[in-house]
Amino acid sequence: MISGNLFHSRKNSWPLEEYISKSTLQLLDSDSALPPEQAWRRKLNGHANILKEFSITFSEAIKMVRLGIRLWSYVREEASQGRKAPIDPFTREDCKPSASHGVPLGGMGSGSISRGFRGEFRQWQIIPGTCEASPVMANQFSIFISREGGSKKYASVLAPGQHEGLGKVGDPGISSWGWNLDGQHSTYHALFPRAWTVYDGEPDPELKVSCRQISPFIPHNYRDSSLPTAVFVYTLVNTGRERAKVSLLFTWANSIGGVSHLSGDHVNEPFIGEDGVFGVNLHHKSAKGNSPVTFSIAACETQNVSVTVLPSFGLSEGSCITAKDMWDKMVQDGQFDRDNFSSGPSMPSSPGETLCAAVAASAWVEPHGKCTITFSLSWSSPKVKFLKGFSYHRRYTKFYGTSEKAAQTLAHDALTNYKRWEEEIEKWQRPILMDERLPEWYKFTLFNELYFLVAGGTIWIDSCLVDKKRPNDQDELARIKNDVIKSTETKVSGRGEEVSRAMTTTTLNDFAGVEFDDDENSTSSSHVSEEELMVPLKRGYTDRSYQTYEVLDLGNTEEDVGRFLYLEGVEYVMWCTYDVHFYASFALLELFPKIELNIQRDFAKAVLSEDGRNVKFLADGTYGIRKVRGAVPHDLGTHDPWNEMNAYNIHDTSRWKDLNSKFVLQVYRDFAATRDTSFGVDVWPSVRAAIEYLEQFDRDGDGVIENDGFPDQTYDTWTVHGISAYCGCLWVAALQAASAMAHELGDRDFAETCKSKFLKAKPVLEAKLWNGSYFNYDSGSSSNSNSIQADQLAGQWYTASSGLPPLFDDFKIKSALRKIYDFNVMKIRGGRMGAVNGMHPNGKVDETCMQSREIWTGVTYAVAATMILAGMEEEAFKTAEGIFLAGWSEEGFGYWFQTPEAWSMDGNFRSLVYMRPLSIWGMQWALSLPKSILKAPKINVMDRIHVSASNTKFFHHETGVRRMATKAKCFGDSALNCAF
């Protein structure tokens, strides 16, 4: 896709030699201690500026005042029930956001801890949906150096002491430590999932230190990528003439962020493990009935490395051993007493007391010699508890169990397996990093944007295990038990000729298999399978006012990769927000396709379900039901995911015009890329239902759906009238994708029907919106109806990404993209900020609303991907580079490892740590389309579908939900006839 050496003349990178001296580079070059040539870099003394949040204009505030009042009331109501509202613009964190983030720790879905580029541990997301942003400053690495003869001694925390609360005179806590690192000669290098910190002669000018941080994020490895652990490999090089005794110290507070360390009843315990792994377990008793957490900090003892521990010390004057006592001991001896290993568990901490632990590893480094010391950090919080729903076991428990000893085992295995992890990571990344056609900034930004799959509040559960449901109050329990449950089961042949329906009505009181535990604080470890918790109807989809899903029946348990959730963002607390997943899903499909397919299966089941509970929609104050059958949900929920969907309640998303089309397009793309027939069969009934549901919005019968004069799509403050470029293009693309998938699965009638509708809709869309150079925003008569929308070709993006024929003539596609590039990109600070969402044809930004004048990071990457697929590579990388320059570069606004949903013209953010920027992997997808798409039959699939006279009437007015056997095969007697 990319021509030869297109980007050689324009690279945006930071060469290693500009950050590390040549002599140090040579000393570290013998192993992985040397940072890679392509990485995001910062000096440790770099300024971490406070980030500025967006603001709305006076006119926007007037328009939104009623929404604001309703939202404020809803936030208060949720708080009174002990719950966090999914969107809460009124509550602010005590810790102001700053440009200090770095590569997060651990694998996916087991709770995460981020680490800033200056060394602080922050952004704690151990409890689902909760993010404690403030760093725990007692969590540090420190170094103590004494040279033979005692003439030179150094002691310093390996982080600059630039933080509030440090420097208190006479403090027995961490202010008493040696915060002596200036950071001028120390640098941070990030290439997710690894990071390097190089101390080039700090604090000892004759000692070079490299710390390599490694987490097990390994594409296609569904075991190790779930593990909550990280390794820190220190390489020490002595350039002096004397032997140096070097002691590295790892300190850790018994805390899960915030003020959790003060709650009391926490216990620390030393351990001696196998293979020379020694350390301390820190048992944390979580508040509010959350699952307890155990941390394990450890180091590996070798022939040259001695490991000692201090199981407990405190930060206040009343502690038996204070932080100052601990520090003084290390300065004097460089180690702790070996007897500490036999001290046993500590006394439980008292409320208001902070309990900490330390692991020290000491070694002699010969003159001009080298030494390696390894530490590991792991944490185990086996159970995920949702406030209104089930408790689940995290995926890593499938391999490590639920015992509090799991953290210790994880720490051990991390220290013994990290070299293999690095080999797999390097094998994955090498082809991209070595591709000389690609700009340098793109290579490391591509990998670093994956931080979100760890730090974006991900949850990965073992689908075989589920705890008993614990409704929070008796009224809820009684209501659930008396809910009438209806299930409609329909069987249809591959040609749509036979239809049969079975109707069942019952209540949860009839099901002995469902147990309700009224004790909210129960800590029972018993489990029942999710199949026992399912209503005992025939296998398939259910439609009822209270929905509980069965676990995917994957047959072979080795293929069961569990179930996966990730947040829209840390500020928008909704799981798997689907209109945003549309952009982000390329990363999962490329790296963890089985997870991506399971997410689509979850939404496929959701399409055919209905939740009749009333919900108030905050935008207009009207009421409706939570989930409408046939409509793709906005999200999988917040406080009871999979079972109480659509936590988003600003608008009634059953009336949104993009969700169903996005479902069809994602399913077809995933089907085309994986060629997974069983997946196609599983989700096909929902694809049909999604198309049929959306047809109701074609109110004038011209073949194209219309928007309804409110923000009824992912741009949920940007009103749309009539036919729109965004939703109309998605709809036409979805019709083509559904037709192609129907053809390949043998559903000939539906293939013909969708092709007929596609052939009718396409010219109408073009006639209504094409103005000669681009597609107008919508067909209405408002002042912005002719605006240039950056995202107008979203449907074409997916069409090309799936190997389908283009929606429009090549001239129209390139003309629209050229208009977007010239106006939305280049007229905004010369292309150095990304693509603004809306631009008037006179070259002025569309300021109709907050979102029309914003630059959306993920949409900019998506536009760039569309350009690549259209053969406009140079414009594509220039467009995407604006996000790098504004968000990631030293001259930018400081959004590294917390890329927001949007920023304004002046760089102020909205919604940090957001899902959509994962769409940069849509660019990589476009650059290297999978073989299954590239090698697909060259014959236009639409040309193979012949429209018969009987299909001139769309859908035959069929509204029933269709269901195929979940394990239909490509045999003659199957429900579907596959056309491969």
Side-chain angles (χ1 to χ4, degrees):
M1 302 293 291
I2 299 181
S3 55
N5 296 313
L6 180 63
F7 301 105
H8 271 179
S9 60
R10 182 170 58 82
K11 291 187 178 181
N12 200 325
S13 63
W14 303 294
L16 263 175
E17 55 270 19
E18 293 182 8
Y19 286 78
I20 304 173
S21 65
K22 290 184 178 180
S23 60
T24 302
L25 289 175
Q26 293 173 350
L27 291 169
L28 297 175
D29 195 26
S30 59
D31 57 27
S32 298
L34 182 67
E37 291 185 11
Q38 296 90 6
W40 179 89
R41 313 188 199 282
R42 280 294 178 277
K43 288 190 174 182
L44 264 60
N45 66 344
H47 180 59
N49 56 290
I50 299 298
L51 304 178
K52 296 180 180 179
E53 194 167 8
F54 81 107
S55 59
I56 59 176
T57 65
F58 179 75
S59 61
E60 289 167 352
I62 293 298
K63 293 177 183 177
M64 298 172 70
V65 64
R66 291 182 179 176
L67 167 61
I69 292 172
R70 296 187 192 103
L71 182 57
W72 179 75
S73 177
Y74 172 69
V75 169
R76 289 188 61 192
E77 179 183 348
E78 287 294 284
S80 69
Q81 300 295 321
R83 299 189 294 263
K84 178 181 174 66
I87 301 175
D88 179 6
F90 309 105
T91 304
R92 288 289 176 266
E93 297 288 344
D94 294 334
C95 177
K96 294 181 179 179
S98 64
S100 56
H101 286 219
V103 174
L105 305 172
M108 299 188 298
S110 295
S112 70
I113 306 165
S114 291
R115 193 171 184 226
F117 74 88
R118 295 186 298 193
E120 69 277 12
F121 294 85
R122 58 190 311 131
Q123 290 287 118
W124 299 74
Q125 297 188 78
I126 306 297
I127 305 301
T130 301
C131 179
E132 296 287 354
S134 299
V136 176
M137 293 303 290
N139 298 351
Q140 298 289 346
F141 284 100
S142 303
I143 193 166
F144 303 83
I145 307 160
S146 60
R147 294 200 171 265
E148 204 164 44
S151 58
K152 299 175 184 176
K153 291 189 110 178
Y154 303 90
S156 180
V157 179
L158 288 174
Q162 304 169 8
H163 194 271
E164 296 177 7
L166 298 179
K168 298 177 183 177
V169 178
D171 181 22
I174 62 175
S175 291
S176 63
W177 296 355
W179 299 89
N180 302 318
L181 195 77
D182 176 79
Q184 182 178 357
H185 301 292
S186 301
T187 52
Y188 180 83
H189 312 258
L191 187 66
F192 179 89
R194 297 189 293 172
W196 292 254
T197 306
V198 177
Y199 306 89
D200 194 354
E202 286 190 281
D204 182 350
E206 295 180 329
L207 187 71
K208 312 298 183 182
V209 181
S210 169
C211 172
R212 189 165 81 257
Q213 171 187 312
I214 307 149
S215 292
F217 182 98
I218 306 166
H220 307 286
N221 184 329
Y222 296 89
R223 181 190 187 279
D224 293 352
S225 296
S226 72
L227 304 183
T229 188
V231 176
F232 306 89
V233 181
Y234 279 86
T235 301
L236 313 172
V237 180
N238 181 6
T239 62
R241 297 180 179 179
E242 307 94 3
R243 294 176 72 208
K245 182 181 180 182
V246 182
S247 297
L248 288 167
L249 176 71
F250 188 16
T251 53
W252 198 259
N254 197 323
S255 170
I256 56 173
V259 296
S260 60
H261 54 287
L262 302 177
S263 58
D265 283 337
H266 311 312
V267 174
N268 293 353
E269 182 180 11
F271 70 85
I272 298 176
E274 298 178 351
D275 303 313
V277 176
F278 300 163
V280 180
N281 293 324
L282 298 89
H283 306 292
H284 185 89
K285 184 178 181 181
S286 301
K288 299 180 181 179
N290 289 306
S291 175
V293 183
T294 297
F295 294 96
S296 184
I297 56 173
C300 190
E301 189 164 88
T302 65
Q303 186 174 2
N304 189 41
V305 178
S306 174
V307 178
T308 56
V309 301
L310 182 63
S312 62
F313 66 90
L315 304 183
S316 59
E317 191 68 50
S319 304
C320 292
I321 301 175
T322 66
K324 184 178 186 304
D325 297 333
M326 182 277 301
W327 187 267
D328 292 343
K329 173 71 172 176
M330 286 299 299
V331 170
Q332 178 178 332
D333 299 335
Q335 60 187 23
F336 300 115
D337 297 334
R338 298 288 295 190
D339 292 344
N340 289 343
F341 283 112
S342 59
S343 61
S346 68
M347 293 293 293
S349 63
S350 302
E353 176 187 8
T354 302
L355 188 63
C356 303
V359 174
S362 307
W364 282 97
V365 187
E366 298 298 324
H368 306 290
K370 182 183 293 187
C371 179
T372 299
I373 296 175
T374 55
F375 293 88
S376 65
L377 164 69
S378 63
W379 56 97
S380 177
S381 178
K383 190 183 299 182
V384 176
K385 179 182 179 182
F386 293 106
L387 289 177
K388 295 171 68 176
F390 289 97
S391 292
Y392 303 90
H393 280 166
R394 297 188 192 264
R395 176 163 175 80
Y396 77 90
T397 63
K398 183 183 183 76
F399 318 108
Y400 285 85
T402 60
S403 164
E404 61 183 16
K405 294 294 185 182
Q408 178 180 326
T409 307
L410 281 160
H412 168 273
D413 289 358
L415 289 169
T416 55
N417 291 328
Y418 76 87
K419 291 182 180 179
R420 175 176 56 83
W421 294 344
E422 286 197 284
E423 289 175 0
E424 294 183 43
I425 291 168
E426 289 171 0
K427 181 180 179 181
W428 157 47
Q429 294 182 335
R430 189 178 298 112
I432 294 173
L433 296 177
M434 299 301 290
D435 190 340
E436 295 184 354
R437 302 169 301 168
L438 300 173
E440 298 298 301
W441 66 264
Y442 169 78
K443 295 177 184 180
F444 56 80
T445 305
L446 176 72
F447 292 112
N448 285 336
E449 287 284 18
L450 290 171
Y451 84 93
F452 188 84
L453 289 177
V454 172
T458 54
I459 291 177
W460 194 355
I461 66 165
D462 175 13
S463 59
C464 295
L465 298 176
V466 59
D467 262 4
K468 299 175 185 178
K469 187 172 181 65
R470 298 187 177 90
N472 285 342
D473 56 64
Q474 295 300 317
D475 292 338
E476 177 81 353
L477 177 63
R479 189 195 59 71
I480 294 170
K481 287 184 175 180
N482 292 312
D483 266 349
V484 174
I485 299 167
K486 296 181 180 180
S487 175
T488 302
E489 182 175 359
T490 303
K491 295 182 179 179
V492 59
S493 76
R495 299 183 182 274
E497 296 168 350
E498 299 177 3
V499 177
S500 63
R501 291 189 180 130
M503 199 70 175
T504 307
T505 302
T506 185
T507 71
L508 282 179
N509 283 325
D510 299 324
F511 306 137
V514 179
E515 292 189 53
F516 296 96
D517 188 339
D518 299 341
D519 180 8
E520 182 180 341
N521 297 316
S522 171
T523 58
S524 170
S525 61
S526 62
H527 295 86
V528 291
S529 71
E530 284 202 6
E531 293 209 357
E532 289 176 305
L533 287 165
M534 269 302 291
V535 177
L537 303 172
K538 293 182 179 180
R539 279 187 179 275
Y541 303 109
T542 60
D543 168 34
R544 51 199 175 90
S545 59
Y546 194 84
Q547 176 80 25
T548 303
Y549 288 141
E550 64 177 316
V551 165
L552 301 170
D553 181 10
L554 299 178
N556 184 353
T557 57
E558 292 182 3
E559 293 298 311
D560 180 5
V561 299
R563 305 175 83 179
F564 189 84
L565 297 169
Y566 66 146
L567 291 176
E568 178 178 339
V570 297
E571 297 178 38
Y572 297 163
V573 187
M574 294 164 282
W575 300 111
C576 295
T577 299
Y578 200 73
D579 55 307
V580 185
H581 180 68
F582 175 78
Y583 298 83
S585 58
F586 282 91
L588 286 174
L589 180 59
E590 177 79 24
L591 306 175
F592 298 96
K594 292 179 182 179
I595 289 177
E596 164 62 11
L597 295 188
N598 278 2
I599 290 175
Q600 300 299 353
R601 286 184 172 101
D602 282 338
F603 276 92
K605 289 184 177 184
V607 168
L608 301 181
S609 72
E610 184 161 299
D611 186 337
R613 287 172 286 183
N614 269 352
V615 174
K616 183 177 182 179
F617 302 114
L618 304 180
D620 56 10
T622 61
Y623 287 84
I625 67 173
R626 178 173 291 279
K627 168 67 179 67
V628 176
R629 185 211 303 269
V632 174
H634 172 274
D635 55 80
L636 291 178
T638 292
H639 299 303
D640 190 8
W642 298 296
N643 305 310
E644 186 180 90
M645 294 169 287
N646 282 333
Y648 177 91
N649 60 350
I650 303 297
H651 298 289
D652 179 359
T653 58
S654 69
R655 297 174 59 201
W656 276 20
K657 310 309 184 296
D658 61 338
L659 289 168
N660 281 40
S661 295
K662 287 175 175 177
F663 172 72
V664 175
L665 289 169
Q666 287 184 74
V667 164
Y668 182 77
R669 178 206 57 189
D670 297 354
F671 175 65
T674 63
R675 310 315 297 178
D676 187 328
T677 307
S678 64
F679 167 73
V681 171
D682 286 347
V683 302
W684 178 240
S686 300
V687 172
R688 291 194 59 158
I691 290 287
E692 291 173 338
Y693 179 88
L694 207 53
E695 196 211 6
Q696 66 181 294
F697 299 113
D698 174 19
R699 295 188 172 86
D700 58 6
D702 65 357
V704 184
I705 60 173
E706 291 90 33
N707 294 85
D708 283 331
F710 75 101
D712 50 356
Q713 24 74 47
T714 193
Y715 299 90
D716 58 354
T717 69
W718 200 356
T719 298
V720 198
H721 299 276
I723 294 175
S724 69
Y726 185 69
C727 295
C729 185
L730 289 170
W731 166 245
V732 172
L735 288 172
Q736 179 174 241
S739 181
M741 189 169 180
H743 175 75
E744 294 189 52
L745 290 177
D747 194 343
R748 308 294 189 226
D749 284 352
F750 198 72
E752 293 178 17
T753 298
C754 287
K755 179 176 179 179
S756 176
K757 189 66 175 179
F758 169 78
L759 294 174
K760 181 179 181 181
K762 178 178 176 292
V764 172
L765 181 70
E766 292 179 294
K768 292 286 183 72
L769 298 181
W770 180 253
N771 62 20
S773 60
Y774 65 95
F775 292 93
N776 287 334
Y777 176 67
D778 64 29
S779 63
S781 57
S782 62
S783 61
N784 71 320
S785 287
N786 66 342
S787 285
I788 308 162
Q789 184 180 12
D791 212 2
Q792 62 185 267
L793 291 178
Q796 171 58 27
W797 172 36
Y798 258 72
T799 295
S801 295
S802 305
L804 289 170
L807 299 180
F808 312 109
D809 294 341
D810 187 63
F811 162 75
K812 290 181 178 178
I813 294 170
K814 288 187 175 179
S815 175
L817 290 172
R818 169 58 64 179
K819 195 75 172 182
I820 293 165
Y821 178 76
D822 290 342
F823 280 70
N824 301 61
V825 178
M826 295 308 295
K827 289 186 181 295
I828 306 299
R829 296 195 183 181
R832 298 179 63 83
M833 292 193 70
V836 68
N837 283 337
M839 177 72 80
H840 290 297
N842 63 4
K844 293 184 178 180
V845 173
D846 184 347
E847 297 189 350
T848 303
C849 66
M850 172 186 72
Q851 291 177 345
S852 65
R853 60 183 170 87
E854 286 181 328
I855 293 164
W856 283 16
T857 55
V859 167
T860 298
Y861 288 142
V863 170
T866 312
M867 290 175 174
I868 292 171
L869 291 162
M872 300 171 62
E873 296 95 346
E874 187 167 0
E875 293 88 345
F877 281 96
K878 177 65 176 177
T879 296
E881 186 182 37
I883 301 302
F884 166 76
L885 292 172
W888 288 81
S889 73
E890 289 187 274
E891 298 77 25
F893 301 108
Y895 296 127
W896 42 82
F897 300 101
Q898 51 186 326
T899 315
E901 156 77 315
W903 50 64
S904 57
M905 294 297 114
D906 52 7
N908 294 348
F909 74 88
R910 180 170 63 81
S911 186
L912 292 170
V913 191
Y914 196 78
M915 180 198 294
R916 205 183 314 254
L918 283 171
S919 60
I920 192 173
W921 280 86
M923 294 178 65
Q924 189 60 26
W925 184 269
L927 292 167
S928 54
L929 287 171
K931 293 180 180 179
S932 57
I933 290 177
L934 289 174
K935 294 185 177 181
K938 300 304 179 185
I939 300 175
N940 188 327
V941 67
M942 297 298 280
D943 292 341
R944 293 187 289 173
I945 302 170
H946 302 286
V947 180
S948 62
S950 62
N951 266 308
T952 55
K953 198 168 185 179
F954 191 49
F955 298 145
H956 309 286
H957 297 288
E958 293 177 321
T959 58
V961 174
R962 296 158 178 79
R963 176 185 178 271
M964 258 60 84
T966 58
K967 282 296 170 185
K969 306 294 183 182
C970 290
F971 300 142
D973 59 351
S974 70
L976 298 174
N977 298 312
C978 302
F980 294 120

